[in-house]
Structure formats: C-alpha cells, structure tokens
Amino acid sequence: MKGNQKTEIAYKGISLRREHVENDRIPGIMIFYKNGFEASARQAGFGIEEEGIPNSMVQSDSPMADALDNTLQKGLGVAIGIDDTGARIFCRQYKKNEPLFRYRNISDEMLRCIGQNSARMLKKKPLVQFVEQ
C-alpha cells in the first residue's frame, strides 16, 4: 500500500476547569515557532482548525520553553512548540518539563496530524496516529 495512513488510538482526554479559562478571551491552543518555521506552524494550525478549536501562532526564540510555560498558565493547557529539532506537544496534565509527544523529521501532513492530536486531546476524542509508508 502506498501513501500515508492515519489510524486512531485511544486517549482519555483533558478536563478543563473554570480557573483555566480567562474571562476576557476565548482560549485556544498556542503554537510557538522559531524564526523560519512559520509555514510549519501554519500547517499545525490547519490541523487544529479541522477539529474546530481556536489557535494562535507566536514567533519565539525558545519555542519549546515558551510552549511548556504556556501550559502552566490559564487556558486550555495544551501548546505546541516547533523548531529545528522538530515539533512537540506539551500538556498541563502530563509530567512537568516533558512533552506529551515528540516528532522529528516532520512533513506538512505530520504537522496537520500534530495539530489534530492537540485538539483531539481537548475534545476527548481518539488520537490520530500518523503512519508514513
């Protein structure tokens, strides 16, 4: 079989408590990216949008540290960091200082899958596993 395949895997999901949401803005998934990776961040954003969750992109000198820091602030508790080492999904309810998922050698299709998975974690839907063939 040629091409790319996506399969769903089970995940319990994330609970969102009232104190995680600021009253003056709609919470969304933050995508932090290093200079030169705006196109990659945009692809991850497309995956998030496919799941109907708002997102915003922020250029950063240290996207992984900023994504981790963002998960500890008010909001949804999920953030994505993208730089030359790859992409990572950080989650408030996972181990501190460690990403929930790490991806290397990322393609546009995989970035969309990363965005979808970050949104699906919030929606308590099965995650999509990206299989490149």
Side-chain angles (χ1 to χ4, degrees), residues 55-90:
N55 69 82
S56 56
M57 302 184 333
V58 178
Q59 184 175 336
S60 169
D61 291 332
S62 55
M64 301 306 175
D66 289 343
L68 175 63
D69 184 55
N70 180 265
T71 62
L72 304 175
Q73 307 300 317
K74 289 184 177 181
L76 297 178
V78 175
I80 298 173
I82 301 173
D83 64 11
D84 49 356
T85 64
R88 296 180 188 155
I89 300 175
F90 293 90

Side-chain angles (χ1 to χ4, degrees), residues 6-10 120 125-129:
K6 292 182 183 179
T7 58
E8 293 185 350
I9 56 176
R120 284 174 166 242
K125 289 178 69 178
L127 300 181
V128 176
Q129 184 178 16

